[in-house]
Amino acid sequence: MEQIILLCLVSACLSSVQTQKYLFSPSWGPIGYKDRDEHRDGTVMDEIIKTNEFQASRILDGTTSLREGDIAVSAGRRSKVCFARSCLWSKSVDGNVYIAYKLSPEYSEAEKSVIKKGMENIEKGTCVQFVPWTHQQDYIDIQPKSGCWSYLGSRGGRQTLSLQNPDCLQTGVISHEFMHALGFVHEQSRFDRDNYVTIMWPNIWRDRVRNFEKFRTDSLGLPYDYSSIMHFGMYAYSQDGEATIVPKSGKDVKLGQASTLSHIDRMKINKLYKCGDEDDY
């Protein structure tokens, strides 16, 4: 009898090990990390996909889910969706846009420093300034929840922006999520994107096809930006290691960014919030 029990335990352990190998195998699920190393084409969104697909739930709670991989969307009558229009933060009389933020005490001092660098990345060359929350009614509450995600635009009142530690604490990832908070969707979601890229639908992991939808967003009269920090990488959500987004302007065009905003990203911020002179655009 003892031998039978022992054999059952060994069998159960082996089964568990095999299950783990399957669930965490690079061949399972969307791209994340396997193609990035293979193609040396890592982008901010590759990091976000890796974290959100393998560590964060697609359903954040009973009423909130992720759209396009990292944009939080709430259900119900009180939800505020800005995919087809902008939900802007208030502009001060001095011409700047001051956005209050509150950092969770769960972050270490070193982690807080990295988050602030991500915010500084957006402040450079734009009229957006992040200020510590004191009494402001509208503010961003930065929390180390599960995954890297943000709501789109200003929702009014306290709104959560999740930067899971340590996975999301990279300058580019942080800047990307704050761009969502400013009101920007992913670049390849532009309604005119088919003029610039080809979506390789058969190569996309079937349960993530919806992440490649288009939206009637305002392009602000600016050119399509292949190098935007808001652009998916070429192998985003690939189920077989093949490209899911191919630039129409040539194979040598790199999609997305690894750490910083592009020049056009900064122009977008200033034009959306009507900062500076027309010559600055």
Side-chain angles (χ1 to χ4, degrees):
M1 188 59 156
E2 291 180 354
Q3 289 179 329
I4 293 174
I5 293 173
L6 181 60
L7 285 171
C8 289
L9 288 172
V10 170
S11 176
C13 288
L14 287 173
S15 176
S16 176
V17 169
Q18 291 302 316
T19 300
Q20 279 190 319
K21 285 183 178 180
Y22 173 76
L23 288 176
F24 295 96
S25 167
S27 64
W28 177 84
I31 99 132
Y33 43 94
K34 68 165 184 170
D35 296 313
R36 184 191 50 195
D37 293 337
E38 180 182 344
H39 298 282
R40 299 183 181 279
D41 190 39
T43 68
V44 164
M45 198 60 200
D46 290 338
E47 295 295 334
I48 293 171
I49 291 171
K50 181 175 70 172
T51 299
N52 288 3
E53 292 296 337
F54 291 96
Q55 298 185 39
S57 172
R58 292 186 69 206
I59 305 298
L60 307 180
D61 56 39
T63 60
T64 305
S65 59
L66 293 181
R67 193 166 185 174
E68 289 194 31
D70 68 333
I71 300 175
V73 178
S74 296
R77 288 181 297 176
R78 297 186 63 187
S79 66
K80 191 175 183 181
V81 181
C82 302
F83 273 83
R85 56 189 168 79
S86 296
C87 298
L88 302 185
W89 294 83
S90 299
K91 190 174 180 181
S92 175
V93 292
D94 67 2
N96 288 322
V97 178
Y98 296 101
I99 300 177
Y101 69 90
K102 184 178 181 182
L103 279 167
S104 168
E106 294 181 44
Y107 291 118
S108 68
E109 290 304 313
E111 290 171 335
K112 290 178 181 178
S113 178
V114 174
I115 293 172
K116 289 176 182 177
K117 285 181 180 178
M119 291 190 283
E120 290 168 1
N121 203 10
I122 287 181
E123 292 176 333
K124 183 179 179 181
T126 76
C127 64
V128 172
Q129 299 291 312
F130 294 98
V131 296
W133 178 79
T134 52
H135 63 282
Q136 296 89 337
Q137 180 178 348
D138 302 336
Y139 68 98
I140 297 175
D141 187 16
I142 307 167
Q143 296 283 340
K145 291 184 175 292
S146 181
C148 326
W149 50 266
S150 170
Y151 288 95
L152 192 64
S154 174
R155 290 169 53 83
R158 180 183 69 85
Q159 67 183 68
T160 302
L161 186 150
S162 174
L163 295 172
Q164 176 180 319
N165 51 353
D167 306 274
C168 304
L169 296 183
Q170 302 174 45
T171 305
V173 171
I174 295 162
S175 299
H176 180 103
E177 297 307 333
F178 275 103
M179 285 288 284
H180 283 318
L182 284 172
F184 296 99
V185 295
H186 296 115
E187 185 70 2
Q188 79 288 333
S189 296
R190 282 173 53 150
F191 194 72
D192 62 350
R193 64 105 185 274
D194 292 332
N195 296 327
Y196 306 96
V197 298
T198 301
I199 305 300
M200 309 300 290
W201 299 104
N203 299 339
I204 300 170
W205 197 38
R206 61 183 179 275
D207 290 339
R208 299 297 182 267
V209 167
R210 191 181 179 189
N211 288 342
F212 291 79
E213 289 181 346
K214 293 184 293 185
F215 298 94
R216 287 191 176 277
T217 53
D218 186 356
S219 63
L220 301 170
L222 294 172
Y224 190 89
D225 188 9
Y226 291 107
S227 61
S228 171
I229 199 170
M230 305 307 289
H231 207 300
F232 277 16
M234 189 176 290
Y235 303 93
Y237 296 102
S238 173
Q239 66 175 345
D240 52 12
E242 297 298 319
T244 54
I245 308 177
V246 178
K248 290 189 173 180
S249 60
K251 294 182 179 179
D252 294 334
V253 175
K254 183 183 182 299
L255 301 181
Q257 286 281 351
S259 61
T260 190
L261 274 66
S262 70
H263 176 64
I264 296 178
D265 283 330
R266 299 186 194 283
M267 292 174 67
K268 287 177 189 171
I269 295 173
N270 286 336
K271 195 157 189 181
L272 180 63
Y273 283 91
K274 296 180 171 59
C275 309
D277 301 322
E278 288 291 329
D279 293 339
D280 296 336
Y281 304 154

